[in-house]
Amino acid sequence: MPSGRSDAAAGDSVRLLDAEELTELNAAGDELGQSNVEQAGGPGDAADERAAQAAVPTALKRWQTAAYCTAFVALGLNGGMLGPTLLMLARNCGVDQSEIASVFAPRGIAFTIGCFVSGKLYERYPAHPIVAAALLLMALLNAAVPFVSLWPLLVLHAAIGFAASALEVGCNALVYAVWQLEANAYMQFLHFCFGLGAALSPFVVGAVILLAPTQWQLAVCYVSNALLLAAAAVVPACVSSPALYEADEGPGDAAAAQRLRMMRYLMVGATAVFLAVYVGAESSYGAWVFAYVVEAVGLPEAEAAYIVSAFWFALTVGRLMAVPIALRVSSRRVLLCDIGGCLCAVLLLLAADVLGFLSRPVVWIGSVMAGGFMASVFATAYSYPAEAAIRLSPRECSVLAVATALGDIAAPSLLGVVFGFVSARLFPFFILALVLSFALAFIVLDRTLAKLSLHLKRLAADTDHDVALTL
């Protein structure tokens, strides 16, 4: 993973550290975090906090980042395991497909609730033990999945969703804490790791189906997944946590503090709406483009499946390509390019449909374009405030995680209603409406960030003190 720094410690991080060196780095990180608390007297001065985190050795930062990326690979593997094993779970529980589909609801609800709870946990306790505990809990729950009936299975999946929320909120907030103004490239790689895990999961299931006896396939899938989750917990358990503290309460003038706080609420709200609508567009496209291609375009199901794969492949490759781009291009320009590319992809499908020349090449090109330009939107929007020197607290990250979960549930469900009661031909219109909606949310976010950053810089100049309000 590339770094924007060129200090001497960067050279040391190229080689693998032995246990003694890693212990020394952990001790140094703990000492710096503790000194930050002592100097600030609790929720500390923002400038002291950034200076303390900047003094952490680059080698330790990379070990910390490796812990989060490993956790996200495991999170992707866990999320991608359910779909390919759904029929096996139905047979194992003795139910049909409609009944086994009920596992999605408690999982999603528990994830949403967990996002609120985990944000508060990260503010009160060291972060890495929480990450390790979430991975170990998910490992134990996955190991139990093949051996229960339907109702205990619903409880297990609710608990898995709750644990997954701790990883979603924590790893995003921790990348912020470790890299601060340089967070964008590392955030891109973090979400690439999730996509990598989700892409690998079907291959793991396929290999098990080919190699394992039928009666043992479900157990081998979930026990293997449990072992991978437990292994992923080793890295965060062995590396010290970065500081995740509340920022100060801002200027002494109550009116000025209230004004800045309201601007910050607007910034978090605009980011939440942007991410919710974007995730809704991504999930809706991935979930329903197959049906659109078959019903509206008239292509065979086999080719429609390949088009869906092309969309997700472009999304995954695009996330990896976004890492070097994020080191050289500002988040604002990347988001503008992404939004423009998404609009072009959807308008291509829409124009071809309306004008009556919707064909195989148009669908292929539009789907690959949509996946490629959507790839970096989520991580870039998440790290956009960092480029304006505005930090997100764990509680704010939990708000964003809840918004994305709601978008992921609501938009594909609504599009399913459109398909069932109106027509599959409305698919490009629906996606266009979502793209225009998150483009509008970006305009609000961009203007709010500019104003908020300007106010904070003026306050810092007036008071010789960095101000970073949090919810």
Side-chain angles (χ1 to χ4, degrees), residues 123-317:
E123 290 178 349
R124 295 185 179 183
Y125 303 104
H128 285 190
I130 299 175
V131 172
L135 288 166
L136 289 175
L137 176 60
M138 291 173 69
L140 292 173
L141 295 168
N142 272 271
V145 163
F147 308 106
V148 298
S149 58
L150 180 61
W151 285 105
L153 184 67
L154 299 181
V155 176
L156 288 177
H157 276 283
I160 289 172
F162 189 88
S165 68
L167 297 179
E168 174 74 23
V169 172
C171 291
N172 282 300
L174 288 163
V175 168
Y176 257 113
V178 170
W179 294 105
Q180 299 178 12
L181 299 182
E182 299 174 353
N184 190 6
Y186 294 90
M187 192 73 75
Q188 299 289 352
F189 191 75
L190 179 73
H191 288 274
F192 164 75
C193 289
F194 178 87
L196 179 63
L200 289 176
S201 190
F203 289 99
V204 173
V205 175
V208 170
I209 292 173
L210 289 175
L211 300 175
T214 303
Q215 67 271 24
W216 292 104
Q217 287 175 357
L218 185 65
V220 172
C221 284
Y222 277 92
V223 172
S224 299
N225 196 37
L227 292 174
L228 291 171
L229 286 162
V234 173
V235 184
C238 295
V239 180
S240 65
S241 304
L244 275 178
Y245 303 129
E246 290 281 353
D248 61 46
E249 294 299 319
D253 184 352
Q258 180 64 20
R259 181 183 179 189
L260 283 174
R261 189 172 294 279
M262 294 305 297
M263 291 178 66
R264 179 131 191 153
Y265 285 147
L266 181 59
M267 182 270 294
V268 174
T271 306
V273 171
F274 179 92
L275 291 175
V277 180
Y278 160 72
V279 170
E282 178 191 307
S283 301
S284 298
Y285 200 103
W288 288 102
V289 68
F290 179 93
Y292 170 68
V293 168
V294 172
E295 296 179 18
V297 185
L299 297 184
E301 291 187 4
E303 185 169 357
Y306 289 130
I307 290 173
V308 177
S309 297
F311 169 77
W312 290 114
F313 180 78
L315 192 79
T316 303
V317 172

Side-chain angles (χ1 to χ4, degrees), residues 30-41 52 245:
D30 292 338
E31 185 176 338
L32 284 168
Q34 181 61 32
S35 67
N36 185 29
V37 177
E38 292 172 354
Q39 291 170 8
Y245 303 129

